[in-house]
Structures are given as C-alpha cells and as structure tokens.
Amino acid sequence: MSDERAPLVFLYDRCASGDRRALDMRLRGSHEYVARMGWALAGHGPWWDLGPDALSTRRPALMAMVEAMRPEVGRREVLCLVHNWGRLATDDTHRLVLQRRIIAAGGWTLTTFGESDLHALRTVLVGRST
C-alpha cells in the first residue's frame, strides 16, 4: 500500500513508430524511478500517444492524463513523469505549451534524469518571475 502523502505520478510517453520496444524500455525505467523515490503511480496509466497522435499537437492521451490529474491535485502532489523532455515534444515551443497545460491542472513535470519545471510552477503560483 502506498503512502497517501507521497506524490502521485502520472506516466506519459509517445511513440510514432510501430516498434514499441523503446517505449517499453522507457516505461520500465520510469517504473523503477518511481519505486526508488517511494512515490505512488496513478491508476489507468500510463498515458501514451501512439502513431500519428504522437506527432500531432492534439495529444489526446496527454490531455486525458491532464484531466485525470485535476481531481487529485487537492488531495496530494501530482506530477507527470517522462523519460526526457523529448517524450513530450522535440519542438521546445510545443513542449512548453504541453508543460503549461500540466501546470495549469496543478501538476508539474519531471524527467527520469531529474529535470523538472517545479520551479516554474512555484513562480506561477506566487505570481512573480525570477
């Protein structure tokens, strides 16, 4: 049973190709990262955008994940874990738009390499930039 105060992690990835071996490897790595940190995994995940959705600006699985995060925000800290920033988008502008959607829902994003936008979230919440 997981600690209810531990952050709730929503796993996201995307894969445009039919070969899902790399996707499966990243998912295993993400599960290991979450276990090492002692965090809880959100049910109904991971959220994957596959095929053409992985390259589009729509990202239906990511948007469904963001909607699943919203009701959890008042209960505990929520975050979206991705292997690296490229798993959100290779284009920096598109990636930042997606990260802002996660922040607007009350979550934040972290990579398995320890990079996060948590500082940006705190800046938005206090209403000042540094």
Side-chain angles (χ1 to χ4, degrees), residues 74-109:
R75 298 182 185 127
R76 67 199 310 177
E77 183 176 8
V78 297
L79 66 105
C80 169
L81 180 65
V82 292
H83 178 68
N84 59 36
W85 292 131
R87 302 326 313 150
L88 283 175
T90 55
D91 175 77
D92 288 343
T93 301
H94 186 208
R95 177 180 53 83
L96 291 170
V97 166
L98 296 175
Q99 284 177 265
R100 283 188 193 117
R101 289 180 184 168
I102 293 165
I103 289 170
W108 56 282
T109 309

PDB file of all heavy atoms in Angstrom, residues 74-109:
ATOM      1  N   GLY A  74      -6.011  18.466  -5.212  1.00  0.00           N
ATOM      2  CA  GLY A  74      -6.348  18.886  -3.854  1.00  0.00           C
ATOM      3  C   GLY A  74      -6.003  17.854  -2.793  1.00  0.00           C
ATOM      4  O   GLY A  74      -5.964  18.165  -1.612  1.00  0.00           O
ATOM      5  N   ARG A  75      -5.759  16.633  -3.204  1.00  0.00           N
ATOM      6  CA  ARG A  75      -5.502  15.550  -2.263  1.00  0.00           C
ATOM      7  C   ARG A  75      -4.023  15.344  -1.969  1.00  0.00           C
ATOM      8  O   ARG A  75      -3.650  14.955  -0.877  1.00  0.00           O
ATOM      9  CB  ARG A  75      -6.075  14.252  -2.818  1.00  0.00           C
ATOM     10  CG  ARG A  75      -7.560  14.298  -3.005  1.00  0.00           C
ATOM     11  CD  ARG A  75      -8.089  12.962  -3.505  1.00  0.00           C
ATOM     12  NE  ARG A  75      -9.503  13.109  -3.785  1.00  0.00           N
ATOM     13  CZ  ARG A  75     -10.062  12.790  -4.921  1.00  0.00           C
ATOM     14  NH1 ARG A  75      -9.352  12.263  -5.882  1.00  0.00           N
ATOM     15  NH2 ARG A  75     -11.349  12.957  -5.095  1.00  0.00           N
ATOM     16  N   ARG A  76      -3.197  15.561  -3.009  1.00  0.00           N
ATOM     17  CA  ARG A  76      -1.759  15.315  -2.866  1.00  0.00           C
ATOM     18  C   ARG A  76      -1.016  15.955  -4.022  1.00  0.00           C
ATOM     19  O   ARG A  76      -1.627  16.411  -4.984  1.00  0.00           O
ATOM     20  CB  ARG A  76      -1.481  13.813  -2.816  1.00  0.00           C
ATOM     21  CG  ARG A  76      -1.799  13.132  -4.137  1.00  0.00           C
ATOM     22  CD  ARG A  76      -1.990  11.646  -4.103  1.00  0.00           C
ATOM     23  NE  ARG A  76      -0.964  10.908  -3.447  1.00  0.00           N
ATOM     24  CZ  ARG A  76      -0.991   9.592  -3.272  1.00  0.00           C
ATOM     25  NH1 ARG A  76      -2.000   8.901  -3.729  1.00  0.00           N
ATOM     26  NH2 ARG A  76      -0.029   8.970  -2.665  1.00  0.00           N
ATOM     27  N   GLU A  77       0.289  15.969  -3.938  1.00  0.00           N
ATOM     28  CA  GLU A  77       1.119  16.499  -5.023  1.00  0.00           C
ATOM     29  C   GLU A  77       1.009  15.554  -6.223  1.00  0.00           C
ATOM     30  O   GLU A  77       1.054  14.334  -6.062  1.00  0.00           O
ATOM     31  CB  GLU A  77       2.565  16.578  -4.540  1.00  0.00           C
ATOM     32  CG  GLU A  77       3.519  17.158  -5.523  1.00  0.00           C
ATOM     33  CD  GLU A  77       4.924  17.283  -4.936  1.00  0.00           C
ATOM     34  OE1 GLU A  77       5.186  16.789  -3.827  1.00  0.00           O
ATOM     35  OE2 GLU A  77       5.746  17.884  -5.629  1.00  0.00           O
ATOM     36  N   VAL A  78       0.858  16.128  -7.419  1.00  0.00           N
ATOM     37  CA  VAL A  78       0.781  15.310  -8.631  1.00  0.00           C
ATOM     38  C   VAL A  78       1.840  15.775  -9.620  1.00  0.00           C
ATOM     39  O   VAL A  78       2.161  16.955  -9.707  1.00  0.00           O
ATOM     40  CB  VAL A  78      -0.620  15.355  -9.295  1.00  0.00           C
ATOM     41  CG1 VAL A  78      -1.677  14.768  -8.383  1.00  0.00           C
ATOM     42  CG2 VAL A  78      -1.000  16.742  -9.723  1.00  0.00           C
ATOM     43  N   LEU A  79       2.378  14.803 -10.343  1.00  0.00           N
ATOM     44  CA  LEU A  79       3.374  15.137 -11.350  1.00  0.00           C
ATOM     45  C   LEU A  79       3.283  14.199 -12.531  1.00  0.00           C
ATOM     46  O   LEU A  79       2.792  13.078 -12.414  1.00  0.00           O
ATOM     47  CB  LEU A  79       4.785  15.118 -10.757  1.00  0.00           C
ATOM     48  CG  LEU A  79       5.332  13.777 -10.288  1.00  0.00           C
ATOM     49  CD1 LEU A  79       6.365  13.259 -11.265  1.00  0.00           C
ATOM     50  CD2 LEU A  79       5.950  13.950  -8.921  1.00  0.00           C
ATOM     51  N   CYS A  80       3.754  14.689 -13.654  1.00  0.00           N
ATOM     52  CA  CYS A  80       3.854  13.913 -14.881  1.00  0.00           C
ATOM     53  C   CYS A  80       5.321  13.522 -15.040  1.00  0.00           C
ATOM     54  O   CYS A  80       6.190  14.393 -15.099  1.00  0.00           O
ATOM     55  CB  CYS A  80       3.403  14.752 -16.070  1.00  0.00           C
ATOM     56  SG  CYS A  80       3.767  14.003 -17.679  1.00  0.00           S
ATOM     57  N   LEU A  81       5.601  12.231 -15.097  1.00  0.00           N
ATOM     58  CA  LEU A  81       6.965  11.743 -15.287  1.00  0.00           C
ATOM     59  C   LEU A  81       7.146  11.316 -16.736  1.00  0.00           C
ATOM     60  O   LEU A  81       6.344  10.544 -17.267  1.00  0.00           O
ATOM     61  CB  LEU A  81       7.255  10.561 -14.358  1.00  0.00           C
ATOM     62  CG  LEU A  81       8.655   9.960 -14.456  1.00  0.00           C
ATOM     63  CD1 LEU A  81       9.718  10.955 -13.997  1.00  0.00           C
ATOM     64  CD2 LEU A  81       8.745   8.669 -13.643  1.00  0.00           C
ATOM     65  N   VAL A  82       8.187  11.853 -17.366  1.00  0.00           N
ATOM     66  CA  VAL A  82       8.569  11.474 -18.724  1.00  0.00           C
ATOM     67  C   VAL A  82      10.035  11.061 -18.707  1.00  0.00           C
ATOM     68  O   VAL A  82      10.797  11.500 -17.834  1.00  0.00           O
ATOM     69  CB  VAL A  82       8.356  12.626 -19.736  1.00  0.00           C
ATOM     70  CG1 VAL A  82       6.881  12.923 -19.916  1.00  0.00           C
ATOM     71  CG2 VAL A  82       9.111  13.881 -19.336  1.00  0.00           C
ATOM     72  N   HIS A  83      10.424  10.233 -19.642  1.00  0.00           N
ATOM     73  CA  HIS A  83      11.822   9.798 -19.701  1.00  0.00           C
ATOM     74  C   HIS A  83      12.748  10.996 -19.894  1.00  0.00           C
ATOM     75  O   HIS A  83      13.721  11.167 -19.174  1.00  0.00           O
ATOM     76  CB  HIS A  83      12.005   8.773 -20.819  1.00  0.00           C
ATOM     77  CG  HIS A  83      13.411   8.315 -20.988  1.00  0.00           C
ATOM     78  ND1 HIS A  83      14.047   7.546 -20.044  1.00  0.00           N
ATOM     79  CD2 HIS A  83      14.309   8.535 -21.977  1.00  0.00           C
ATOM     80  CE1 HIS A  83      15.286   7.317 -20.448  1.00  0.00           C
ATOM     81  NE2 HIS A  83      15.464   7.895 -21.618  1.00  0.00           N
ATOM     82  N   ASN A  84      12.446  11.815 -20.880  1.00  0.00           N
ATOM     83  CA  ASN A  84      13.204  13.055 -21.122  1.00  0.00           C
ATOM     84  C   ASN A  84      12.256  14.051 -21.772  1.00  0.00           C
ATOM     85  O   ASN A  84      11.131  13.713 -22.123  1.00  0.00           O
ATOM     86  CB  ASN A  84      14.460  12.800 -21.975  1.00  0.00           C
ATOM     87  CG  ASN A  84      14.147  12.199 -23.325  1.00  0.00           C
ATOM     88  OD1 ASN A  84      13.146  12.518 -23.957  1.00  0.00           O
ATOM     89  ND2 ASN A  84      14.996  11.307 -23.784  1.00  0.00           N
ATOM     90  N   TRP A  85      12.704  15.296 -21.909  1.00  0.00           N
ATOM     91  CA  TRP A  85      11.820  16.326 -22.456  1.00  0.00           C
ATOM     92  C   TRP A  85      11.320  15.989 -23.854  1.00  0.00           C
ATOM     93  O   TRP A  85      10.205  16.360 -24.230  1.00  0.00           O
ATOM     94  CB  TRP A  85      12.501  17.692 -22.465  1.00  0.00           C
ATOM     95  CG  TRP A  85      12.758  18.276 -21.112  1.00  0.00           C
ATOM     96  CD1 TRP A  85      13.932  18.809 -20.675  1.00  0.00           C
ATOM     97  CD2 TRP A  85      11.842  18.422 -20.023  1.00  0.00           C
ATOM     98  NE1 TRP A  85      13.796  19.263 -19.385  1.00  0.00           N
ATOM     99  CE2 TRP A  85      12.523  19.037 -18.961  1.00  0.00           C
ATOM    100  CE3 TRP A  85      10.505  18.086 -19.833  1.00  0.00           C
ATOM    101  CZ2 TRP A  85      11.924  19.327 -17.731  1.00  0.00           C
ATOM    102  CZ3 TRP A  85       9.899  18.371 -18.613  1.00  0.00           C
ATOM    103  CH2 TRP A  85      10.601  18.978 -17.593  1.00  0.00           C
ATOM    104  N   GLY A  86      12.099  15.269 -24.638  1.00  0.00           N
ATOM    105  CA  GLY A  86      11.681  14.887 -25.980  1.00  0.00           C
ATOM    106  C   GLY A  86      10.467  13.984 -26.003  1.00  0.00           C
ATOM    107  O   GLY A  86       9.800  13.863 -27.030  1.00  0.00           O
ATOM    108  N   ARG A  87      10.165  13.341 -24.902  1.00  0.00           N
ATOM    109  CA  ARG A  87       8.982  12.477 -24.845  1.00  0.00           C
ATOM    110  C   ARG A  87       7.711  13.310 -24.822  1.00  0.00           C
ATOM    111  O   ARG A  87       6.650  12.817 -25.174  1.00  0.00           O
ATOM    112  CB  ARG A  87       9.015  11.553 -23.624  1.00  0.00           C
ATOM    113  CG  ARG A  87      10.206  10.632 -23.513  1.00  0.00           C
ATOM    114  CD  ARG A  87      10.811  10.095 -24.800  1.00  0.00           C
ATOM    115  NE  ARG A  87       9.848   9.571 -25.756  1.00  0.00           N
ATOM    116  CZ  ARG A  87      10.027   9.596 -27.079  1.00  0.00           C
ATOM    117  NH1 ARG A  87      11.104  10.111 -27.621  1.00  0.00           N
ATOM    118  NH2 ARG A  87       9.120   9.087 -27.882  1.00  0.00           N
ATOM    119  N   LEU A  88       7.812  14.574 -24.423  1.00  0.00           N
ATOM    120  CA  LEU A  88       6.661  15.473 -24.563  1.00  0.00           C
ATOM    121  C   LEU A  88       6.602  15.993 -25.990  1.00  0.00           C
ATOM    122  O   LEU A  88       5.580  15.883 -26.653  1.00  0.00           O
ATOM    123  CB  LEU A  88       6.760  16.647 -23.587  1.00  0.00           C
ATOM    124  CG  LEU A  88       6.417  16.361 -22.139  1.00  0.00           C
ATOM    125  CD1 LEU A  88       6.689  17.580 -21.272  1.00  0.00           C
ATOM    126  CD2 LEU A  88       4.979  15.921 -21.987  1.00  0.00           C
ATOM    127  N   ALA A  89       7.712  16.585 -26.450  1.00  0.00           N
ATOM    128  CA  ALA A  89       7.795  17.108 -27.820  1.00  0.00           C
ATOM    129  C   ALA A  89       9.249  17.444 -28.119  1.00  0.00           C
ATOM    130  O   ALA A  89       9.978  17.883 -27.227  1.00  0.00           O
ATOM    131  CB  ALA A  89       6.927  18.354 -27.975  1.00  0.00           C
ATOM    132  N   THR A  90       9.642  17.261 -29.361  1.00  0.00           N
ATOM    133  CA  THR A  90      11.005  17.629 -29.743  1.00  0.00           C
ATOM    134  C   THR A  90      11.116  19.131 -30.001  1.00  0.00           C
ATOM    135  O   THR A  90      12.194  19.693 -29.889  1.00  0.00           O
ATOM    136  CB  THR A  90      11.474  16.851 -30.985  1.00  0.00           C
ATOM    137  OG1 THR A  90      10.520  17.055 -32.034  1.00  0.00           O
ATOM    138  CG2 THR A  90      11.593  15.368 -30.676  1.00  0.00           C
ATOM    139  N   ASP A  91      10.009  19.755 -30.317  1.00  0.00           N
ATOM    140  CA  ASP A  91       9.973  21.200 -30.527  1.00  0.00           C
ATOM    141  C   ASP A  91       9.801  21.887 -29.169  1.00  0.00           C
ATOM    142  O   ASP A  91       8.836  21.615 -28.442  1.00  0.00           O
ATOM    143  CB  ASP A  91       8.798  21.546 -31.450  1.00  0.00           C
ATOM    144  CG  ASP A  91       8.619  23.032 -31.612  1.00  0.00           C
ATOM    145  OD1 ASP A  91       9.394  23.646 -32.369  1.00  0.00           O
ATOM    146  OD2 ASP A  91       7.708  23.578 -30.942  1.00  0.00           O
ATOM    147  N   ASP A  92      10.730  22.767 -28.811  1.00  0.00           N
ATOM    148  CA  ASP A  92      10.699  23.407 -27.500  1.00  0.00           C
ATOM    149  C   ASP A  92       9.419  24.192 -27.243  1.00  0.00           C
ATOM    150  O   ASP A  92       8.864  24.153 -26.145  1.00  0.00           O
ATOM    151  CB  ASP A  92      11.906  24.334 -27.313  1.00  0.00           C
ATOM    152  CG  ASP A  92      13.199  23.575 -27.117  1.00  0.00           C
ATOM    153  OD1 ASP A  92      13.158  22.358 -26.811  1.00  0.00           O
ATOM    154  OD2 ASP A  92      14.270  24.194 -27.272  1.00  0.00           O
ATOM    155  N   THR A  93       8.938  24.904 -28.243  1.00  0.00           N
ATOM    156  CA  THR A  93       7.718  25.689 -28.065  1.00  0.00           C
ATOM    157  C   THR A  93       6.532  24.784 -27.779  1.00  0.00           C
ATOM    158  O   THR A  93       5.754  25.047 -26.845  1.00  0.00           O
ATOM    159  CB  THR A  93       7.444  26.557 -29.312  1.00  0.00           C
ATOM    160  OG1 THR A  93       8.563  27.421 -29.512  1.00  0.00           O
ATOM    161  CG2 THR A  93       6.173  27.371 -29.157  1.00  0.00           C
ATOM    162  N   HIS A  94       6.402  23.704 -28.538  1.00  0.00           N
ATOM    163  CA  HIS A  94       5.299  22.768 -28.313  1.00  0.00           C
ATOM    164  C   HIS A  94       5.437  22.105 -26.941  1.00  0.00           C
ATOM    165  O   HIS A  94       4.450  21.952 -26.209  1.00  0.00           O
ATOM    166  CB  HIS A  94       5.264  21.723 -29.430  1.00  0.00           C
ATOM    167  CG  HIS A  94       4.081  20.826 -29.357  1.00  0.00           C
ATOM    168  ND1 HIS A  94       4.086  19.557 -29.830  1.00  0.00           N
ATOM    169  CD2 HIS A  94       2.832  21.013 -28.845  1.00  0.00           C
ATOM    170  CE1 HIS A  94       2.915  18.989 -29.618  1.00  0.00           C
ATOM    171  NE2 HIS A  94       2.146  19.854 -29.030  1.00  0.00           N
ATOM    172  N   ARG A  95       6.647  21.740 -26.561  1.00  0.00           N
ATOM    173  CA  ARG A  95       6.880  21.128 -25.250  1.00  0.00           C
ATOM    174  C   ARG A  95       6.450  22.078 -24.134  1.00  0.00           C
ATOM    175  O   ARG A  95       5.776  21.676 -23.189  1.00  0.00           O
ATOM    176  CB  ARG A  95       8.348  20.753 -25.076  1.00  0.00           C
ATOM    177  CG  ARG A  95       8.645  20.181 -23.694  1.00  0.00           C
ATOM    178  CD  ARG A  95      10.098  19.801 -23.526  1.00  0.00           C
ATOM    179  NE  ARG A  95      11.042  20.842 -23.850  1.00  0.00           N
ATOM    180  CZ  ARG A  95      11.416  21.825 -23.019  1.00  0.00           C
ATOM    181  NH1 ARG A  95      10.902  21.903 -21.804  1.00  0.00           N
ATOM    182  NH2 ARG A  95      12.298  22.723 -23.395  1.00  0.00           N
ATOM    183  N   LEU A  96       6.818  23.350 -24.243  1.00  0.00           N
ATOM    184  CA  LEU A  96       6.443  24.311 -23.213  1.00  0.00           C
ATOM    185  C   LEU A  96       4.928  24.505 -23.124  1.00  0.00           C
ATOM    186  O   LEU A  96       4.384  24.663 -22.030  1.00  0.00           O
ATOM    187  CB  LEU A  96       7.144  25.642 -23.451  1.00  0.00           C
ATOM    188  CG  LEU A  96       8.658  25.610 -23.219  1.00  0.00           C
ATOM    189  CD1 LEU A  96       9.298  26.901 -23.715  1.00  0.00           C
ATOM    190  CD2 LEU A  96       8.985  25.350 -21.765  1.00  0.00           C
ATOM    191  N   VAL A  97       4.248  24.462 -24.260  1.00  0.00           N
ATOM    192  CA  VAL A  97       2.780  24.553 -24.260  1.00  0.00           C
ATOM    193  C   VAL A  97       2.197  23.370 -23.488  1.00  0.00           C
ATOM    194  O   VAL A  97       1.292  23.539 -22.657  1.00  0.00           O
ATOM    195  CB  VAL A  97       2.224  24.610 -25.702  1.00  0.00           C
ATOM    196  CG1 VAL A  97       0.730  24.355 -25.736  1.00  0.00           C
ATOM    197  CG2 VAL A  97       2.567  25.937 -26.347  1.00  0.00           C
ATOM    198  N   LEU A  98       2.722  22.170 -23.737  1.00  0.00           N
ATOM    199  CA  LEU A  98       2.224  20.979 -23.043  1.00  0.00           C
ATOM    200  C   LEU A  98       2.539  21.044 -21.552  1.00  0.00           C
ATOM    201  O   LEU A  98       1.699  20.690 -20.715  1.00  0.00           O
ATOM    202  CB  LEU A  98       2.807  19.716 -23.674  1.00  0.00           C
ATOM    203  CG  LEU A  98       2.400  19.476 -25.132  1.00  0.00           C
ATOM    204  CD1 LEU A  98       3.126  18.265 -25.706  1.00  0.00           C
ATOM    205  CD2 LEU A  98       0.891  19.328 -25.271  1.00  0.00           C
ATOM    206  N   GLN A  99       3.734  21.512 -21.201  1.00  0.00           N
ATOM    207  CA  GLN A  99       4.086  21.653 -19.789  1.00  0.00           C
ATOM    208  C   GLN A  99       3.163  22.659 -19.106  1.00  0.00           C
ATOM    209  O   GLN A  99       2.751  22.439 -17.957  1.00  0.00           O
ATOM    210  CB  GLN A  99       5.541  22.098 -19.640  1.00  0.00           C
ATOM    211  CG  GLN A  99       6.526  20.971 -19.887  1.00  0.00           C
ATOM    212  CD  GLN A  99       7.954  21.467 -19.804  1.00  0.00           C
ATOM    213  OE1 GLN A  99       8.547  21.792 -20.825  1.00  0.00           O
ATOM    214  NE2 GLN A  99       8.483  21.524 -18.610  1.00  0.00           N
ATOM    215  N   ARG A 100       2.827  23.732 -19.777  1.00  0.00           N
ATOM    216  CA  ARG A 100       1.920  24.730 -19.194  1.00  0.00           C
ATOM    217  C   ARG A 100       0.539  24.136 -18.936  1.00  0.00           C
ATOM    218  O   ARG A 100      -0.126  24.511 -17.967  1.00  0.00           O
ATOM    219  CB  ARG A 100       1.814  25.954 -20.095  1.00  0.00           C
ATOM    220  CG  ARG A 100       3.030  26.841 -19.988  1.00  0.00           C
ATOM    221  CD  ARG A 100       2.839  28.153 -20.742  1.00  0.00           C
ATOM    222  NE  ARG A 100       4.108  28.826 -20.861  1.00  0.00           N
ATOM    223  CZ  ARG A 100       4.719  29.098 -21.997  1.00  0.00           C
ATOM    224  NH1 ARG A 100       4.169  28.779 -23.150  1.00  0.00           N
ATOM    225  NH2 ARG A 100       5.888  29.709 -21.994  1.00  0.00           N
ATOM    226  N   ARG A 101       0.100  23.223 -19.797  1.00  0.00           N
ATOM    227  CA  ARG A 101      -1.193  22.573 -19.573  1.00  0.00           C
ATOM    228  C   ARG A 101      -1.152  21.734 -18.295  1.00  0.00           C
ATOM    229  O   ARG A 101      -2.122  21.700 -17.534  1.00  0.00           O
ATOM    230  CB  ARG A 101      -1.569  21.700 -20.767  1.00  0.00           C
ATOM    231  CG  ARG A 101      -1.939  22.516 -21.979  1.00  0.00           C
ATOM    232  CD  ARG A 101      -2.298  21.651 -23.151  1.00  0.00           C
ATOM    233  NE  ARG A 101      -2.556  22.484 -24.321  1.00  0.00           N
ATOM    234  CZ  ARG A 101      -2.673  22.015 -25.542  1.00  0.00           C
ATOM    235  NH1 ARG A 101      -2.582  20.709 -25.769  1.00  0.00           N
ATOM    236  NH2 ARG A 101      -2.906  22.819 -26.548  1.00  0.00           N
ATOM    237  N   ILE A 102      -0.040  21.066 -18.076  1.00  0.00           N
ATOM    238  CA  ILE A 102       0.122  20.256 -16.862  1.00  0.00           C
ATOM    239  C   ILE A 102       0.166  21.167 -15.643  1.00  0.00           C
ATOM    240  O   ILE A 102      -0.476  20.893 -14.625  1.00  0.00           O
ATOM    241  CB  ILE A 102       1.382  19.370 -16.982  1.00  0.00           C
ATOM    242  CG1 ILE A 102       1.177  18.324 -18.083  1.00  0.00           C
ATOM    243  CG2 ILE A 102       1.729  18.714 -15.642  1.00  0.00           C
ATOM    244  CD1 ILE A 102       2.439  17.628 -18.556  1.00  0.00           C
ATOM    245  N   ILE A 103       0.897  22.257 -15.733  1.00  0.00           N
ATOM    246  CA  ILE A 103       0.978  23.223 -14.632  1.00  0.00           C
ATOM    247  C   ILE A 103      -0.398  23.822 -14.351  1.00  0.00           C
ATOM    248  O   ILE A 103      -0.805  23.962 -13.192  1.00  0.00           O
ATOM    249  CB  ILE A 103       2.021  24.316 -14.940  1.00  0.00           C
ATOM    250  CG1 ILE A 103       3.435  23.720 -14.866  1.00  0.00           C
ATOM    251  CG2 ILE A 103       1.880  25.497 -13.990  1.00  0.00           C
ATOM    252  CD1 ILE A 103       4.527  24.646 -15.379  1.00  0.00           C
ATOM    253  N   ALA A 104      -1.140  24.167 -15.408  1.00  0.00           N
ATOM    254  CA  ALA A 104      -2.476  24.749 -15.231  1.00  0.00           C
ATOM    255  C   ALA A 104      -3.423  23.787 -14.514  1.00  0.00           C
ATOM    256  O   ALA A 104      -4.334  24.227 -13.803  1.00  0.00           O
ATOM    257  CB  ALA A 104      -3.058  25.163 -16.583  1.00  0.00           C
ATOM    258  N   ALA A 105      -3.191  22.490 -14.678  1.00  0.00           N
ATOM    259  CA  ALA A 105      -4.016  21.490 -13.996  1.00  0.00           C
ATOM    260  C   ALA A 105      -3.599  21.320 -12.541  1.00  0.00           C
ATOM    261  O   ALA A 105      -4.284  20.646 -11.773  1.00  0.00           O
ATOM    262  CB  ALA A 105      -3.917  20.153 -14.732  1.00  0.00           C
ATOM    263  N   GLY A 106      -2.457  21.916 -12.152  1.00  0.00           N
ATOM    264  CA  GLY A 106      -1.992  21.817 -10.776  1.00  0.00           C
ATOM    265  C   GLY A 106      -0.846  20.851 -10.570  1.00  0.00           C
ATOM    266  O   GLY A 106      -0.420  20.602  -9.448  1.00  0.00           O
ATOM    267  N   GLY A 107      -0.339  20.292 -11.670  1.00  0.00           N
ATOM    268  CA  GLY A 107       0.783  19.355 -11.573  1.00  0.00           C
ATOM    269  C   GLY A 107       2.079  19.987 -12.032  1.00  0.00           C
ATOM    270  O   GLY A 107       2.144  21.197 -12.275  1.00  0.00           O
ATOM    271  N   TRP A 108       3.088  19.184 -12.117  1.00  0.00           N
ATOM    272  CA  TRP A 108       4.388  19.608 -12.646  1.00  0.00           C
ATOM    273  C   TRP A 108       4.996  18.430 -13.360  1.00  0.00           C
ATOM    274  O   TRP A 108       4.502  17.310 -13.275  1.00  0.00           O
ATOM    275  CB  TRP A 108       5.280  20.186 -11.548  1.00  0.00           C
ATOM    276  CG  TRP A 108       5.532  19.305 -10.355  1.00  0.00           C
ATOM    277  CD1 TRP A 108       4.676  19.066  -9.313  1.00  0.00           C
ATOM    278  CD2 TRP A 108       6.713  18.553 -10.073  1.00  0.00           C
ATOM    279  NE1 TRP A 108       5.255  18.222  -8.405  1.00  0.00           N
ATOM    280  CE2 TRP A 108       6.510  17.895  -8.835  1.00  0.00           C
ATOM    281  CE3 TRP A 108       7.924  18.378 -10.732  1.00  0.00           C
ATOM    282  CZ2 TRP A 108       7.469  17.069  -8.256  1.00  0.00           C
ATOM    283  CZ3 TRP A 108       8.886  17.557 -10.148  1.00  0.00           C
ATOM    284  CH2 TRP A 108       8.652  16.908  -8.928  1.00  0.00           C
ATOM    285  N   THR A 109       6.059  18.679 -14.115  1.00  0.00           N
ATOM    286  CA  THR A 109       6.666  17.647 -14.950  1.00  0.00           C
ATOM    287  C   THR A 109       8.105  17.387 -14.505  1.00  0.00           C
ATOM    288  O   THR A 109       8.827  18.320 -14.164  1.00  0.00           O
ATOM    289  CB  THR A 109       6.655  18.084 -16.429  1.00  0.00           C
ATOM    290  OG1 THR A 109       5.335  18.491 -16.778  1.00  0.00           O
ATOM    291  CG2 THR A 109       7.067  16.940 -17.340  1.00  0.00           C
TER     292      THR A 109
END
